[in-house]
């Protein structure tokens, strides 16, 4: 072991450490093996987009609620929630 061996060792980044290397089950829709990128991420299908498309809009913020929050924060662009300023102004 040489004096400068510590320079040759490269520490792994978080995405190299947390990569998922196990097997995944087949997609319930199309049968293609599911993909799981990291140990803490959900599985999804690249073919039929199973697990990627979230059709549940129950948590979406309405333009009226977004406009109230936006106005209460001094019409700060950080509180626009994906709406344009014109949409928010019209909802007020």
């Amino acid at each position: 072991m040489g004096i400068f061996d510590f320079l040759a060792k490269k520490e792994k980044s978080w995405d190299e450490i947390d990569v998922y290397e196990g097997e995944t089950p087949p997609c319930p829709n199309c049968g293609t093996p599911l993909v799981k990128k990291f140990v803490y991420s959900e599985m999804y299908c690249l073919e039929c987009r199973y697990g990627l498309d979230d059709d549940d809009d129950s948590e979406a913020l309405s333009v009226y609620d977004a406009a109230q929050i936006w106005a209460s924060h001094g019409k700060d662009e950080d509180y626009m929630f994906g709406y344009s300023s014109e949409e928010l102004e019209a909802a007020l």
Side-chain angles (χ1 to χ4, degrees):
M1 183 169 188
I3 298 173
F4 297 105
D5 285 346
F6 71 93
L7 293 175
K9 292 182 182 178
K10 180 184 174 228
E11 288 190 33
K12 290 184 176 182
S13 65
W14 66 269
D15 59 337
E16 293 172 324
I17 294 170
D18 293 339
V19 69
Y20 181 77
E21 296 176 358
E23 293 183 21
T24 58
C27 174
N29 291 343
C30 68
T32 306
L34 294 173
V35 175
K36 183 169 180 157
K37 190 168 183 175
F38 299 110
V39 293
Y40 47 79
S41 64
E42 298 293 325
M43 290 185 232
Y44 57 92
C45 179
L46 295 174
E47 291 294 318
C48 69
R49 300 189 52 82
Y50 170 81
L52 291 177
D53 294 333
D54 187 13
D55 295 332
D56 183 19
D57 290 335
S58 64
E59 294 183 25
L61 192 61
S62 73
V63 67
Y64 302 105
D65 292 337
Q68 292 296 320
I69 296 169
W70 178 62
S72 70
H73 285 90
K75 298 185 178 181
D76 186 346
E77 65 182 26
D78 290 337
Y79 295 93
M80 294 177 70
F81 303 101
Y83 294 102
S84 68
S85 58
E86 292 81 20
E87 290 173 309
L88 296 170
E89 284 289 345
L92 290 175

